[in-house]
Amino acid sequence: AGLSTGQRVVTVQKGPLYRAKGSHVTLWCKVSGYQGPAEQNFQWSIYLPSAPEREVQIVSTVDPSFPYAIYTQRVRSRGIYVERVQGDAVLLHITELQDRDAGEYECHTPNTDERYFGSYSAKTNLSVIPDTLSASMVPQVLTHAEGEAVELTCEVSKSTAQHTHLSVGWYRLRGAGESHAEEVLTLSKDFILRPGPSYTQRFLVGDVRLSKVGNTTYKLSIEGSEPSDQGQLYCEAAEWIEDPDETWKDISRKQTGRTSLVVMSQDRDLSVDITAAQSSLSEGDTLQLNCMVGAQKSSSRHFQVVWLLNSVEVARVDPHGVLIWEGEYEERAKLGKLQAFKHSNMVYVLTIYEVTLKDNGTYQCSASEVKTPGDFHSIQTNLSSGIQVNVKPIGDRMRLSVSTSTPQVMAGDALILLCEVQGATSPLSVQWWHLPLQGPRVPVATMEQDGTLSLGSTYQDGGTRGSLRLEKASSGTFTLVIPNTLDEGDSGQYECEVTEWSRGQRWTKEGKTAVTVTSMAGLGLHATLRSRIATVGYGQSFELICQVSASYTLKEVPVSVRWLFQPSPTTGHYQELVRVFPSGTMAWGEAQPHFQGKAQLTKDDTSFRLHIHNAMAANKGTYQCVVEVWRRNSQPLGQPAATTRSNAVGINVVLPESKLRVATKESSVEIAGGADTAIECRILFAQNNSQFTITWYFLPPLADAPPLQIVRAHYSSILEYGAEFSSPAQKSRFLSQRVSSNVFRLQILSANPGDQGKYYCVVEEWLWLVDDWYKLGEGASGRTTLEFKLPERELQLESTNRSISARAGEEVTLHCLLQGALLPAAHLSAIWFQGKKSGPTRRLLTLHRNGAIEYPQESLAGRLHLRRPTAGDFSLTLRSVEEGDAGLYHCQVQEWQQQSEGKDWALQALAHSGYTQLTTIPP
């Protein structure tokens, strides 16, 4: 309803449909509202319950290559075919329904319209149910006189789960070899009795009846038998099911064995009939022929019966029952291969055991009546009609079907191959072969007649493809399971070769099925590593996402991931941080200590994630992920099926920004010699919870002199004095103090003129982060100039500049002479300095006013000698001159005087000598 002219509509038989296994099934499909040629094309496909989204192509009216491999053999042998009912309607035939034919069928019509408009396909569901119908009747030979009653019983049963009806009927074949059966009487599926045309009148008067006498027993009764009733009678049962379109369909039919009925006429005419329990046989089967002689009062009459094959006598039974064989048949009878006997005066039997091809032909029997048993003259003779017996080679009866439920798999999946044999009656042996796309065929597995199993050399290693199984599910069903395919090399055809063994001979049949194995390596495995942030602060978290792309999801296959880490600064190679196996087991690598308790690993359908909590410096570096895919049904041992390595992602872990500010204002301090003084270092702003390391520096007044470290006060209260200030005397005069949380002070005790210069501090800000103390930044204070206020008095010190040289190992004296008078009660102190072009000017020796001598460098104490032959002579003797002693030397002399008893000493004057250039000469 509502369709416009020209709108294509495809209609298929309404489902769901239920059909019995082994039956011949048809599905109709038609198209209307189309444009183009009157003869439309049709294509049939199926969607199997195991993969309801995957289309499997079956057969096409236009494209011979349309069927998938699983259906190719059945289509070629017309086990499946399409019958065209008319130009726009077809029937799909499945001649022998199998369990694997269950699914959703789709009928598709390729477009012949000017534009797509309407529906081009339709679907219906087909379910395959077991064939539970059975019908049986004991075969027998009945002889009745005309007018006697005949009764036959038939057992019919079913156990189908669906609601079905039964029909039961009797049929008669007139003579041996006749194929057209005449209906006697049938109980239809609608429980209506329907007689055949020849029995209608007798049915109406009640002479022919059919009744059900038990749950499964049906009885045919014929009152007043007639010669026309003679023949072979059998029972046929059919099982019917109602389809969704409210029509009834027979889904199974079964026939019983045949009963031979002889009805003797009241006249003296001799009748002869021949019957066979089975006329189509295979080599080795048994053939039984019955010759039925009909005559009135036969028990008092004498008959001789002759058996004929192709009009040639086989055997003769005289009226006494004596058997005479002809020619070669006598030898076969002696071997027990032939038997003939008189069952009664009216029934004669010929049996051939283990028939051969030479037993093919037309069999007849001839009956002759004689007056007395010894009389050779017959009263009358009659010859039966012929019955054709077909003996086929034993191999012809065997039918082979090879299939697979796994036509397309990925490497690592299992292959399940089925070989079904029908018609074989002797022991079977089975051999499976693999026919690869290139190269010779390879033996897979063999099962001998006694069930002994052997594997081909390629398949003997259970660690490669798993433990192969070749199982015999029933007498004719063999299943081969290869648990673990390797790669595309397992693609190709698999051939089942079945051999039937009988009487020292064998017959072999082969069948093939195609399989496609797709390697995971060829399915575009790729990994991309990314992070939402590239720079994180100490103590913060970051996440790395390893995005995996492939033509399958991570749930379908076993996948492992390795996380790699290269620290910064680089060590030249990546370290394995952690590996996650398909089972979920984790193995930590050499980089673990820096990530222990901080890493969280997760996985979803398409990605792996690494989450790092509380980042620290050791987490700074470059990361990569390596994704490995393993074959299904195997452990991750050896080499993975596919591997991909992601791009590298760098993560920078940075300290919090330092907000340290130090007072930088320049200042100066002027003091009198000998007084104490202090230099201040003030912090204006810093992070909360910061700790500080303060380093004090001294900048001598000499030009280009580098700063000298006085003392470093660590945040942990450790003091480190510089080389120039490491003597006990210096350590006792220069003290670093913390006055408050943001003010530090350098205390200089008993300052002397040598302390003149500039002082400043360098502040380092330290903060505890996650696992350690980290330096956030540093700042230098302004310089404080320390100057001495001196009296007008000046000392007279020799100021001549000199240049001397000395050979290594010699002794040299450097002069420093005071000229002029000294103040009464004055004390003198002196300092010797050495300067070098490539380094700072350093103190060599200090002579204090109390006479104590201080050596800033204890290593020089043994080589420096202050002679002082007079009070004003401060000349310095340098023993064992070394190459490193070269430089510019000068001295400074200070005059001190105590103002009064108990008062501090005050500097009264100071003077510098001239410079002496010392040059060393190598030995």
Side-chain angles (χ1 to χ4, degrees), residues 277-310:
Q278 189 177 1
S279 60
S280 181
L281 307 98
S282 296
E283 286 182 284
D285 288 346
T286 297
L287 172 63
Q288 180 176 312
L289 298 168
N290 296 320
C291 183
M292 293 166 289
V293 179
Q296 292 182 355
K297 300 179 181 179
S298 59
S299 59
S300 60
R301 298 164 68 176
H302 308 287
F303 303 104
Q304 176 178 270
V305 173
V306 178
W307 291 98
L308 304 168
L309 171 58
N310 298 326

Short mmCIF file of all heavy atoms in Angstrom, two decimals, residues 277-310:
data_model
loop_
_atom_site.label_atom_id
_atom_site.label_comp_id
_atom_site.label_asym_id
_atom_site.label_seq_id
_atom_site.Cartn_x
_atom_site.Cartn_y
_atom_site.Cartn_z
N ALA A 277 13.32 -57.81 -2.93
CA ALA A 277 13.32 -56.92 -1.76
C ALA A 277 14.01 -55.60 -2.11
O ALA A 277 13.63 -54.53 -1.62
CB ALA A 277 14.04 -57.59 -0.59
N GLN A 278 15.01 -55.66 -2.98
CA GLN A 278 15.73 -54.45 -3.38
C GLN A 278 16.35 -54.74 -4.74
O GLN A 278 17.04 -55.75 -4.93
CB GLN A 278 16.82 -54.09 -2.37
CG GLN A 278 17.47 -52.74 -2.62
CD GLN A 278 18.49 -52.41 -1.54
OE1 GLN A 278 18.72 -53.19 -0.63
NE2 GLN A 278 19.12 -51.24 -1.65
N SER A 279 16.10 -53.84 -5.71
CA SER A 279 16.59 -54.11 -7.06
C SER A 279 17.81 -53.27 -7.42
O SER A 279 18.43 -53.51 -8.44
CB SER A 279 15.46 -53.86 -8.08
OG SER A 279 15.04 -52.51 -8.00
N SER A 280 18.12 -52.27 -6.61
CA SER A 280 19.31 -51.45 -6.86
C SER A 280 20.29 -51.72 -5.73
O SER A 280 20.03 -51.39 -4.57
CB SER A 280 18.95 -49.97 -6.92
OG SER A 280 20.09 -49.18 -7.18
N LEU A 281 21.45 -52.33 -6.07
CA LEU A 281 22.40 -52.75 -5.05
C LEU A 281 23.81 -52.31 -5.41
O LEU A 281 24.10 -51.90 -6.54
CB LEU A 281 22.38 -54.29 -4.89
CG LEU A 281 21.04 -54.98 -4.63
CD1 LEU A 281 20.49 -55.52 -5.93
CD2 LEU A 281 21.22 -56.09 -3.61
N SER A 282 24.68 -52.45 -4.42
CA SER A 282 26.10 -52.24 -4.63
C SER A 282 26.81 -53.56 -4.46
O SER A 282 26.30 -54.49 -3.83
CB SER A 282 26.66 -51.22 -3.63
OG SER A 282 26.08 -49.95 -3.81
N GLU A 283 28.02 -53.64 -5.04
CA GLU A 283 28.80 -54.85 -4.89
C GLU A 283 28.88 -55.25 -3.42
O GLU A 283 29.10 -54.41 -2.55
CB GLU A 283 30.22 -54.63 -5.41
CG GLU A 283 30.33 -54.57 -6.92
CD GLU A 283 31.77 -54.39 -7.36
OE1 GLU A 283 32.26 -53.25 -7.24
OE2 GLU A 283 32.40 -55.37 -7.79
N GLY A 284 28.68 -56.56 -3.17
CA GLY A 284 28.76 -57.04 -1.80
C GLY A 284 27.43 -57.13 -1.11
O GLY A 284 27.32 -57.74 -0.04
N ASP A 285 26.38 -56.48 -1.68
CA ASP A 285 25.06 -56.56 -1.07
C ASP A 285 24.44 -57.94 -1.33
O ASP A 285 24.98 -58.76 -2.10
CB ASP A 285 24.14 -55.47 -1.63
CG ASP A 285 24.53 -54.09 -1.12
OD1 ASP A 285 25.32 -54.02 -0.15
OD2 ASP A 285 24.05 -53.09 -1.70
N THR A 286 23.27 -58.18 -0.72
CA THR A 286 22.55 -59.45 -0.89
C THR A 286 21.29 -59.20 -1.71
O THR A 286 20.52 -58.28 -1.41
CB THR A 286 22.19 -60.05 0.48
OG1 THR A 286 23.39 -60.35 1.19
CG2 THR A 286 21.37 -61.33 0.30
N LEU A 287 21.08 -60.04 -2.72
CA LEU A 287 19.89 -59.95 -3.58
C LEU A 287 18.96 -61.12 -3.24
O LEU A 287 19.38 -62.27 -3.24
CB LEU A 287 20.29 -60.01 -5.05
CG LEU A 287 19.13 -60.13 -6.06
CD1 LEU A 287 18.23 -58.90 -6.00
CD2 LEU A 287 19.67 -60.34 -7.47
N GLN A 288 17.69 -60.78 -2.91
CA GLN A 288 16.70 -61.84 -2.65
C GLN A 288 15.53 -61.65 -3.60
O GLN A 288 14.92 -60.59 -3.66
CB GLN A 288 16.22 -61.80 -1.20
CG GLN A 288 15.19 -62.89 -0.91
CD GLN A 288 14.79 -62.91 0.56
OE1 GLN A 288 15.63 -62.90 1.43
NE2 GLN A 288 13.49 -62.96 0.80
N LEU A 289 15.21 -62.73 -4.37
CA LEU A 289 14.12 -62.73 -5.34
C LEU A 289 13.07 -63.75 -4.89
O LEU A 289 13.41 -64.87 -4.44
CB LEU A 289 14.64 -63.10 -6.73
CG LEU A 289 15.68 -62.14 -7.34
CD1 LEU A 289 16.31 -62.77 -8.57
CD2 LEU A 289 15.02 -60.81 -7.69
N ASN A 290 11.81 -63.36 -4.99
CA ASN A 290 10.70 -64.25 -4.67
C ASN A 290 9.90 -64.54 -5.94
O ASN A 290 9.53 -63.59 -6.67
CB ASN A 290 9.78 -63.62 -3.62
CG ASN A 290 10.48 -63.42 -2.30
OD1 ASN A 290 11.25 -64.27 -1.88
ND2 ASN A 290 10.20 -62.31 -1.64
N CYS A 291 9.66 -65.80 -6.20
CA CYS A 291 8.82 -66.21 -7.32
C CYS A 291 7.52 -66.76 -6.73
O CYS A 291 7.53 -67.72 -5.97
CB CYS A 291 9.51 -67.28 -8.17
SG CYS A 291 8.55 -67.77 -9.61
N MET A 292 6.41 -66.09 -7.05
CA MET A 292 5.10 -66.46 -6.48
C MET A 292 4.23 -67.09 -7.56
O MET A 292 3.97 -66.47 -8.60
CB MET A 292 4.44 -65.21 -5.90
CG MET A 292 5.19 -64.69 -4.69
SD MET A 292 4.69 -63.02 -4.23
CE MET A 292 5.41 -62.09 -5.58
N VAL A 293 3.83 -68.32 -7.26
CA VAL A 293 3.00 -69.10 -8.20
C VAL A 293 1.57 -69.07 -7.69
O VAL A 293 1.30 -69.43 -6.53
CB VAL A 293 3.51 -70.54 -8.32
CG1 VAL A 293 2.62 -71.34 -9.27
CG2 VAL A 293 4.95 -70.55 -8.78
N GLY A 294 0.66 -68.65 -8.53
CA GLY A 294 -0.75 -68.56 -8.14
C GLY A 294 -1.60 -69.55 -8.91
O GLY A 294 -1.51 -69.60 -10.13
N ALA A 295 -2.39 -70.33 -8.14
CA ALA A 295 -3.32 -71.28 -8.77
C ALA A 295 -4.32 -71.73 -7.73
O ALA A 295 -4.04 -71.69 -6.54
CB ALA A 295 -2.57 -72.48 -9.34
N GLN A 296 -5.52 -72.11 -8.18
CA GLN A 296 -6.53 -72.60 -7.24
C GLN A 296 -6.12 -73.95 -6.68
O GLN A 296 -5.54 -74.78 -7.38
CB GLN A 296 -7.88 -72.70 -7.94
CG GLN A 296 -8.48 -71.37 -8.32
CD GLN A 296 -9.85 -71.53 -8.97
OE1 GLN A 296 -10.31 -72.66 -9.20
NE2 GLN A 296 -10.48 -70.42 -9.25
N LYS A 297 -6.42 -74.16 -5.43
CA LYS A 297 -6.11 -75.43 -4.77
C LYS A 297 -4.68 -75.86 -5.07
O LYS A 297 -4.37 -76.97 -5.45
CB LYS A 297 -7.08 -76.54 -5.21
CG LYS A 297 -8.53 -76.21 -4.88
CD LYS A 297 -9.46 -77.31 -5.36
CE LYS A 297 -10.93 -76.95 -5.04
NZ LYS A 297 -11.86 -78.01 -5.53
N SER A 298 -3.77 -74.90 -4.90
CA SER A 298 -2.38 -75.12 -5.28
C SER A 298 -1.71 -76.20 -4.44
O SER A 298 -0.75 -76.83 -4.89
CB SER A 298 -1.60 -73.81 -5.14
OG SER A 298 -1.68 -73.35 -3.80
N SER A 299 -2.21 -76.44 -3.23
CA SER A 299 -1.53 -77.41 -2.36
C SER A 299 -1.59 -78.83 -2.91
O SER A 299 -0.75 -79.66 -2.58
CB SER A 299 -2.16 -77.36 -0.95
OG SER A 299 -3.54 -77.66 -1.02
N SER A 300 -2.56 -79.10 -3.76
CA SER A 300 -2.69 -80.45 -4.31
C SER A 300 -2.13 -80.55 -5.72
O SER A 300 -2.33 -81.56 -6.40
CB SER A 300 -4.17 -80.87 -4.32
OG SER A 300 -4.94 -79.98 -5.09
N ARG A 301 -1.46 -79.54 -6.17
CA ARG A 301 -0.93 -79.51 -7.54
C ARG A 301 0.59 -79.51 -7.50
O ARG A 301 1.21 -79.24 -6.47
CB ARG A 301 -1.50 -78.30 -8.28
CG ARG A 301 -3.03 -78.38 -8.38
CD ARG A 301 -3.65 -77.07 -8.74
NE ARG A 301 -3.34 -76.63 -10.11
CZ ARG A 301 -3.86 -75.54 -10.65
NH1 ARG A 301 -4.69 -74.77 -9.94
NH2 ARG A 301 -3.56 -75.20 -11.88
N HIS A 302 1.22 -79.80 -8.66
CA HIS A 302 2.68 -79.99 -8.70
C HIS A 302 3.29 -78.99 -9.69
O HIS A 302 2.85 -78.91 -10.85
CB HIS A 302 3.02 -81.42 -9.12
CG HIS A 302 2.31 -82.45 -8.29
ND1 HIS A 302 2.65 -82.73 -6.99
CD2 HIS A 302 1.24 -83.27 -8.58
CE1 HIS A 302 1.85 -83.67 -6.50
NE2 HIS A 302 0.96 -84.01 -7.46
N PHE A 303 4.32 -78.25 -9.20
CA PHE A 303 4.92 -77.20 -10.04
C PHE A 303 6.44 -77.37 -10.08
O PHE A 303 7.09 -77.82 -9.11
CB PHE A 303 4.61 -75.81 -9.48
CG PHE A 303 3.14 -75.53 -9.34
CD1 PHE A 303 2.52 -75.57 -8.09
CD2 PHE A 303 2.38 -75.26 -10.48
CE1 PHE A 303 1.18 -75.33 -7.98
CE2 PHE A 303 1.02 -75.01 -10.35
CZ PHE A 303 0.41 -75.03 -9.09
N GLN A 304 6.98 -77.02 -11.24
CA GLN A 304 8.44 -76.92 -11.40
C GLN A 304 8.78 -75.48 -11.73
O GLN A 304 8.15 -74.88 -12.61
CB GLN A 304 8.91 -77.86 -12.52
CG GLN A 304 10.41 -77.73 -12.80
CD GLN A 304 10.85 -78.69 -13.87
OE1 GLN A 304 11.24 -79.82 -13.60
NE2 GLN A 304 10.71 -78.28 -15.13
N VAL A 305 9.79 -74.92 -11.00
CA VAL A 305 10.13 -73.50 -11.17
C VAL A 305 11.56 -73.39 -11.69
O VAL A 305 12.48 -74.07 -11.18
CB VAL A 305 9.99 -72.74 -9.83
CG1 VAL A 305 10.51 -71.32 -9.97
CG2 VAL A 305 8.53 -72.73 -9.40
N VAL A 306 11.75 -72.51 -12.66
CA VAL A 306 13.08 -72.25 -13.25
C VAL A 306 13.40 -70.76 -13.06
O VAL A 306 12.56 -69.89 -13.35
CB VAL A 306 13.11 -72.62 -14.74
CG1 VAL A 306 14.48 -72.30 -15.35
CG2 VAL A 306 12.77 -74.10 -14.93
N TRP A 307 14.65 -70.49 -12.56
CA TRP A 307 15.12 -69.10 -12.41
C TRP A 307 15.97 -68.74 -13.62
O TRP A 307 16.84 -69.51 -14.03
CB TRP A 307 15.98 -68.94 -11.14
CG TRP A 307 15.18 -69.08 -9.87
CD1 TRP A 307 15.06 -70.17 -9.09
CD2 TRP A 307 14.42 -68.05 -9.27
NE1 TRP A 307 14.25 -69.94 -8.02
CE2 TRP A 307 13.84 -68.61 -8.10
CE3 TRP A 307 14.13 -66.72 -9.57
CZ2 TRP A 307 13.01 -67.88 -7.26
CZ3 TRP A 307 13.32 -65.99 -8.73
CH2 TRP A 307 12.75 -66.56 -7.58
N LEU A 308 15.74 -67.52 -14.18
CA LEU A 308 16.42 -67.07 -15.39
C LEU A 308 17.07 -65.70 -15.15
O LEU A 308 16.49 -64.82 -14.50
CB LEU A 308 15.43 -66.96 -16.56
CG LEU A 308 14.62 -68.23 -16.90
CD1 LEU A 308 13.49 -67.86 -17.85
CD2 LEU A 308 15.51 -69.29 -17.51
N LEU A 309 18.29 -65.53 -15.72
CA LEU A 309 18.97 -64.23 -15.76
C LEU A 309 19.28 -63.92 -17.20
O LEU A 309 20.03 -64.67 -17.86
CB LEU A 309 20.25 -64.24 -14.92
CG LEU A 309 21.16 -63.00 -15.06
CD1 LEU A 309 20.40 -61.71 -14.70
CD2 LEU A 309 22.42 -63.15 -14.21
N ASN A 310 18.66 -62.85 -17.69
CA ASN A 310 18.84 -62.46 -19.09
C ASN A 310 18.51 -63.65 -20.02
O ASN A 310 19.23 -63.95 -20.97
CB ASN A 310 20.26 -61.96 -19.36
CG ASN A 310 20.59 -60.71 -18.56
OD1 ASN A 310 19.72 -59.88 -18.31
ND2 ASN A 310 21.85 -60.59 -18.15
#
